Short mmCIF file of all heavy atoms in Angstrom, two decimals:
data_model
loop_
_atom_site.label_atom_id
_atom_site.label_comp_id
_atom_site.label_asym_id
_atom_site.label_seq_id
_atom_site.Cartn_x
_atom_site.Cartn_y
_atom_site.Cartn_z
N GLY A 284 11.93 -11.85 -0.66
CA GLY A 284 11.27 -12.80 -1.54
C GLY A 284 9.77 -12.71 -1.49
O GLY A 284 9.08 -13.19 -2.40
N LEU A 285 9.26 -12.08 -0.43
CA LEU A 285 7.81 -11.90 -0.29
C LEU A 285 7.36 -10.50 -0.69
O LEU A 285 6.22 -10.10 -0.42
CB LEU A 285 7.41 -12.19 1.16
CG LEU A 285 7.62 -13.64 1.61
CD1 LEU A 285 7.42 -13.76 3.11
CD2 LEU A 285 6.65 -14.56 0.86
N GLY A 286 8.24 -9.75 -1.33
CA GLY A 286 7.87 -8.44 -1.85
C GLY A 286 8.06 -7.30 -0.88
O GLY A 286 7.58 -6.18 -1.13
N ILE A 287 8.77 -7.52 0.22
CA ILE A 287 9.04 -6.46 1.20
C ILE A 287 10.43 -5.90 0.95
O ILE A 287 11.40 -6.64 0.74
CB ILE A 287 8.92 -7.01 2.64
CG1 ILE A 287 7.47 -7.39 2.92
CG2 ILE A 287 9.42 -6.01 3.66
CD1 ILE A 287 7.27 -8.07 4.27
N HIS A 288 10.55 -4.58 1.00
CA HIS A 288 11.83 -3.91 0.79
C HIS A 288 12.56 -3.75 2.10
O HIS A 288 11.98 -3.31 3.10
CB HIS A 288 11.62 -2.54 0.15
CG HIS A 288 12.87 -1.74 0.00
ND1 HIS A 288 13.95 -2.17 -0.73
CD2 HIS A 288 13.22 -0.51 0.51
CE1 HIS A 288 14.91 -1.26 -0.68
NE2 HIS A 288 14.50 -0.25 0.06
N VAL A 289 13.82 -4.13 2.14
CA VAL A 289 14.66 -3.93 3.33
C VAL A 289 15.34 -2.58 3.20
O VAL A 289 16.16 -2.35 2.31
CB VAL A 289 15.70 -5.06 3.48
CG1 VAL A 289 16.67 -4.73 4.61
CG2 VAL A 289 14.99 -6.38 3.76
N VAL A 290 14.97 -1.67 4.08
CA VAL A 290 15.49 -0.29 4.04
C VAL A 290 16.88 -0.21 4.64
O VAL A 290 17.78 0.43 4.10
CB VAL A 290 14.52 0.67 4.78
CG1 VAL A 290 15.07 2.09 4.79
CG2 VAL A 290 13.15 0.62 4.14
N SER A 291 17.06 -0.87 5.79
CA SER A 291 18.36 -0.81 6.47
C SER A 291 18.46 -1.96 7.46
O SER A 291 17.45 -2.52 7.90
CB SER A 291 18.54 0.52 7.22
OG SER A 291 17.55 0.66 8.24
N THR A 292 19.69 -2.32 7.79
CA THR A 292 19.94 -3.33 8.82
C THR A 292 20.95 -2.77 9.81
O THR A 292 21.86 -2.03 9.44
CB THR A 292 20.48 -4.64 8.22
OG1 THR A 292 21.74 -4.37 7.57
CG2 THR A 292 19.51 -5.22 7.22
N ASP A 293 20.81 -3.14 11.08
CA ASP A 293 21.73 -2.71 12.12
C ASP A 293 22.04 -3.92 13.01
O ASP A 293 21.28 -4.23 13.92
CB ASP A 293 21.12 -1.58 12.95
CG ASP A 293 22.10 -1.01 13.97
OD1 ASP A 293 23.23 -1.54 14.07
OD2 ASP A 293 21.74 -0.05 14.68
N PRO A 294 23.14 -4.62 12.73
CA PRO A 294 23.44 -5.85 13.48
C PRO A 294 23.58 -5.62 14.99
O PRO A 294 23.16 -6.47 15.78
CB PRO A 294 24.76 -6.32 12.87
CG PRO A 294 24.79 -5.72 11.49
CD PRO A 294 24.11 -4.39 11.64
N ALA A 295 24.17 -4.50 15.41
CA ALA A 295 24.40 -4.27 16.84
C ALA A 295 23.09 -4.19 17.61
O ALA A 295 22.94 -4.82 18.67
CB ALA A 295 25.22 -3.01 17.05
N SER A 296 22.13 -3.43 17.09
CA SER A 296 20.84 -3.29 17.78
C SER A 296 19.83 -4.32 17.33
O SER A 296 18.68 -4.32 17.81
CB SER A 296 20.27 -1.88 17.55
OG SER A 296 19.95 -1.68 16.20
N ARG A 297 20.22 -5.19 16.39
CA ARG A 297 19.39 -6.32 15.94
C ARG A 297 18.12 -5.85 15.25
O ARG A 297 17.10 -6.53 15.28
CB ARG A 297 19.04 -7.25 17.11
CG ARG A 297 20.22 -7.66 17.94
CD ARG A 297 19.89 -8.44 19.18
NE ARG A 297 18.66 -8.01 19.85
CZ ARG A 297 18.57 -6.92 20.60
NH1 ARG A 297 19.62 -6.11 20.76
NH2 ARG A 297 17.43 -6.61 21.19
N ARG A 298 18.17 -4.70 14.58
CA ARG A 298 16.98 -4.16 13.94
C ARG A 298 17.11 -4.19 12.42
O ARG A 298 18.19 -3.92 11.87
CB ARG A 298 16.75 -2.71 14.37
CG ARG A 298 16.34 -2.54 15.82
CD ARG A 298 16.25 -1.05 16.17
NE ARG A 298 17.53 -0.39 15.93
CZ ARG A 298 17.68 0.79 15.33
NH1 ARG A 298 16.62 1.45 14.88
NH2 ARG A 298 18.88 1.31 15.17
N ILE A 299 16.00 -4.48 11.77
CA ILE A 299 15.89 -4.36 10.31
C ILE A 299 14.70 -3.46 10.03
O ILE A 299 13.59 -3.72 10.49
CB ILE A 299 15.70 -5.74 9.65
CG1 ILE A 299 16.91 -6.63 9.92
CG2 ILE A 299 15.46 -5.58 8.15
CD1 ILE A 299 16.77 -8.03 9.33
N ARG A 300 14.94 -2.40 9.29
CA ARG A 300 13.86 -1.48 8.90
C ARG A 300 13.34 -1.93 7.55
O ARG A 300 14.11 -2.14 6.60
CB ARG A 300 14.40 -0.05 8.84
CG ARG A 300 13.34 1.02 8.71
CD ARG A 300 12.56 1.22 9.96
NE ARG A 300 11.64 2.38 9.81
CZ ARG A 300 10.61 2.59 10.60
NH1 ARG A 300 10.35 1.76 11.60
NH2 ARG A 300 9.84 3.63 10.40
N ILE A 301 12.01 -2.10 7.44
CA ILE A 301 11.41 -2.62 6.22
C ILE A 301 10.32 -1.67 5.72
O ILE A 301 9.81 -0.83 6.48
CB ILE A 301 10.80 -4.01 6.45
CG1 ILE A 301 9.68 -3.95 7.50
CG2 ILE A 301 11.88 -5.01 6.84
CD1 ILE A 301 8.90 -5.24 7.66
N SER A 302 9.97 -1.81 4.46
CA SER A 302 8.85 -1.06 3.91
C SER A 302 8.10 -1.93 2.91
O SER A 302 8.65 -2.87 2.34
CB SER A 302 9.32 0.24 3.24
OG SER A 302 10.02 -0.04 2.04
N GLY A 303 6.85 -1.57 2.71
CA GLY A 303 6.00 -2.28 1.77
C GLY A 303 4.59 -1.73 1.86
O GLY A 303 4.30 -0.89 2.73
N SER A 304 3.72 -2.16 0.99
CA SER A 304 2.35 -1.70 1.06
C SER A 304 1.66 -2.27 2.29
O SER A 304 2.07 -3.30 2.84
CB SER A 304 1.58 -2.10 -0.19
OG SER A 304 1.33 -3.50 -0.17
N ALA A 305 0.61 -1.58 2.75
CA ALA A 305 -0.16 -2.08 3.89
C ALA A 305 -0.70 -3.48 3.61
O ALA A 305 -0.74 -4.34 4.49
CB ALA A 305 -1.29 -1.11 4.22
N ASN A 306 -1.10 -3.72 2.36
CA ASN A 306 -1.62 -5.04 2.00
C ASN A 306 -0.54 -6.11 2.11
O ASN A 306 -0.75 -7.19 2.66
CB ASN A 306 -2.17 -5.02 0.58
CG ASN A 306 -3.60 -4.49 0.52
OD1 ASN A 306 -4.30 -4.48 1.52
ND2 ASN A 306 -4.02 -4.06 -0.66
N THR A 307 0.64 -5.81 1.58
CA THR A 307 1.72 -6.80 1.59
C THR A 307 2.18 -7.08 3.01
O THR A 307 2.32 -8.25 3.42
CB THR A 307 2.90 -6.31 0.74
OG1 THR A 307 2.49 -6.18 -0.61
CG2 THR A 307 4.06 -7.29 0.81
N LEU A 308 2.42 -6.03 3.79
CA LEU A 308 2.88 -6.23 5.16
C LEU A 308 1.80 -6.94 5.98
O LEU A 308 2.11 -7.80 6.81
CB LEU A 308 3.24 -4.89 5.80
CG LEU A 308 4.47 -4.18 5.21
CD1 LEU A 308 4.71 -2.85 5.91
CD2 LEU A 308 5.71 -5.05 5.32
N GLY A 309 0.56 -6.60 5.74
CA GLY A 309 -0.52 -7.28 6.45
C GLY A 309 -0.57 -8.75 6.13
O GLY A 309 -0.79 -9.60 7.01
N HIS A 310 -0.38 -9.08 4.87
CA HIS A 310 -0.42 -10.48 4.45
C HIS A 310 0.74 -11.27 5.04
O HIS A 310 0.54 -12.37 5.58
CB HIS A 310 -0.39 -10.56 2.93
CG HIS A 310 -0.50 -11.96 2.38
ND1 HIS A 310 -1.57 -12.77 2.63
CD2 HIS A 310 0.36 -12.67 1.60
CE1 HIS A 310 -1.37 -13.94 2.02
NE2 HIS A 310 -0.22 -13.90 1.40
N VAL A 311 1.95 -10.71 4.96
CA VAL A 311 3.14 -11.42 5.43
C VAL A 311 3.13 -11.60 6.94
O VAL A 311 3.60 -12.62 7.46
CB VAL A 311 4.42 -10.69 4.96
CG1 VAL A 311 5.67 -11.29 5.62
CG2 VAL A 311 4.53 -10.77 3.44
N PHE A 312 2.56 -10.62 7.65
CA PHE A 312 2.55 -10.68 9.11
C PHE A 312 1.18 -11.04 9.68
O PHE A 312 0.93 -10.88 10.87
CB PHE A 312 3.09 -9.39 9.70
CG PHE A 312 4.54 -9.15 9.36
CD1 PHE A 312 4.91 -8.11 8.51
CD2 PHE A 312 5.53 -9.99 9.85
CE1 PHE A 312 6.24 -7.90 8.17
CE2 PHE A 312 6.87 -9.79 9.52
CZ PHE A 312 7.23 -8.75 8.68
N GLY A 313 0.30 -11.53 8.83
CA GLY A 313 -0.95 -12.12 9.29
C GLY A 313 -1.90 -11.18 9.99
O GLY A 313 -2.54 -11.57 10.98
N THR A 314 -2.02 -9.95 9.50
CA THR A 314 -2.92 -9.00 10.14
C THR A 314 -3.59 -8.13 9.09
O THR A 314 -3.22 -8.15 7.92
CB THR A 314 -2.16 -8.12 11.16
OG1 THR A 314 -3.09 -7.40 11.96
CG2 THR A 314 -1.22 -7.15 10.46
N GLN A 315 -4.57 -7.37 9.53
CA GLN A 315 -5.23 -6.40 8.65
C GLN A 315 -5.05 -5.03 9.25
O GLN A 315 -5.34 -4.81 10.44
CB GLN A 315 -6.72 -6.72 8.52
CG GLN A 315 -7.46 -5.78 7.57
CD GLN A 315 -8.90 -6.19 7.35
OE1 GLN A 315 -9.34 -7.22 7.86
NE2 GLN A 315 -9.65 -5.38 6.61
N LEU A 316 -4.57 -4.09 8.45
CA LEU A 316 -4.32 -2.73 8.90
C LEU A 316 -5.43 -1.82 8.38
O LEU A 316 -5.73 -1.81 7.19
CB LEU A 316 -2.96 -2.23 8.40
CG LEU A 316 -1.76 -3.08 8.84
CD1 LEU A 316 -0.47 -2.54 8.19
CD2 LEU A 316 -1.62 -3.08 10.35
N GLU A 317 -6.03 -1.07 9.29
CA GLU A 317 -7.11 -0.16 8.94
C GLU A 317 -6.74 1.26 9.35
O GLU A 317 -6.16 1.47 10.42
CB GLU A 317 -8.40 -0.55 9.64
CG GLU A 317 -8.91 -1.94 9.31
CD GLU A 317 -10.14 -2.30 10.12
OE1 GLU A 317 -10.05 -2.28 11.36
OE2 GLU A 317 -11.18 -2.58 9.51
N ALA A 318 -7.10 2.22 8.53
CA ALA A 318 -6.91 3.62 8.89
C ALA A 318 -8.11 4.08 9.69
O ALA A 318 -9.25 4.00 9.22
CB ALA A 318 -6.76 4.48 7.63
N VAL A 319 -7.87 4.52 10.95
CA VAL A 319 -8.97 4.87 11.84
C VAL A 319 -8.69 6.19 12.56
O VAL A 319 -7.57 6.68 12.60
CB VAL A 319 -9.20 3.77 12.90
CG1 VAL A 319 -9.49 2.43 12.26
CG2 VAL A 319 -8.01 3.67 13.86
N THR A 320 -9.76 6.73 13.14
CA THR A 320 -9.65 7.80 14.11
C THR A 320 -10.01 7.20 15.47
O THR A 320 -11.05 6.57 15.60
CB THR A 320 -10.62 8.95 13.79
OG1 THR A 320 -10.27 9.50 12.52
CG2 THR A 320 -10.52 10.05 14.84
N SER A 321 -9.13 7.38 16.46
CA SER A 321 -9.39 6.82 17.78
C SER A 321 -9.09 7.86 18.84
O SER A 321 -8.59 8.96 18.55
CB SER A 321 -8.55 5.56 18.02
OG SER A 321 -7.20 5.89 18.24
N ARG A 322 -9.36 7.49 20.08
CA ARG A 322 -9.13 8.40 21.19
C ARG A 322 -7.87 7.96 21.94
O ARG A 322 -7.78 6.82 22.40
CB ARG A 322 -10.33 8.43 22.14
CG ARG A 322 -10.37 9.67 23.03
CD ARG A 322 -11.67 9.77 23.78
NE ARG A 322 -12.85 9.78 22.93
CZ ARG A 322 -13.27 10.85 22.26
NH1 ARG A 322 -12.58 11.99 22.32
NH2 ARG A 322 -14.36 10.77 21.51
N ALA A 323 -6.92 8.86 22.07
CA ALA A 323 -5.67 8.57 22.75
C ALA A 323 -5.88 8.61 24.27
O ALA A 323 -6.94 8.99 24.76
CB ALA A 323 -4.59 9.57 22.34
N SER A 324 -4.85 8.24 25.02
CA SER A 324 -4.96 8.17 26.47
C SER A 324 -5.24 9.53 27.10
O SER A 324 -5.81 9.61 28.18
CB SER A 324 -3.68 7.58 27.07
OG SER A 324 -2.56 8.39 26.74
N ASP A 325 -4.87 10.60 26.40
CA ASP A 325 -5.12 11.94 26.95
C ASP A 325 -6.46 12.51 26.49
O ASP A 325 -6.78 13.68 26.76
CB ASP A 325 -3.99 12.90 26.57
CG ASP A 325 -3.86 13.09 25.06
OD1 ASP A 325 -4.65 12.48 24.30
OD2 ASP A 325 -2.96 13.86 24.64
#
């Protein structure tokens, strides 16, 4: 209902795979997603 697509559900492992735009997912889950270059632990 919030514009997110449900890709798959797995009742046994309690997982739902979802997809949507970065803007939509960010809005629904209260965050901002940025594309960055960072330094990994190695």
Side-chain angles (χ1 to χ4, degrees):
L285 295 170
I287 293 174
H288 175 59
V289 173
V290 178
S291 62
T292 62
D293 185 357
S296 66
R297 311 173 323 284
R298 292 175 301 136
I299 298 178
R300 191 72 174 163
I301 62 172
S302 71
S304 72
N306 277 341
T307 297
L308 293 179
H310 183 60
V311 171
F312 295 111
T314 192
Q315 183 175 356
L316 302 176
E317 300 176 302
V319 302
T320 298
S321 74
R322 200 171 303 282
S324 60
D325 62 0

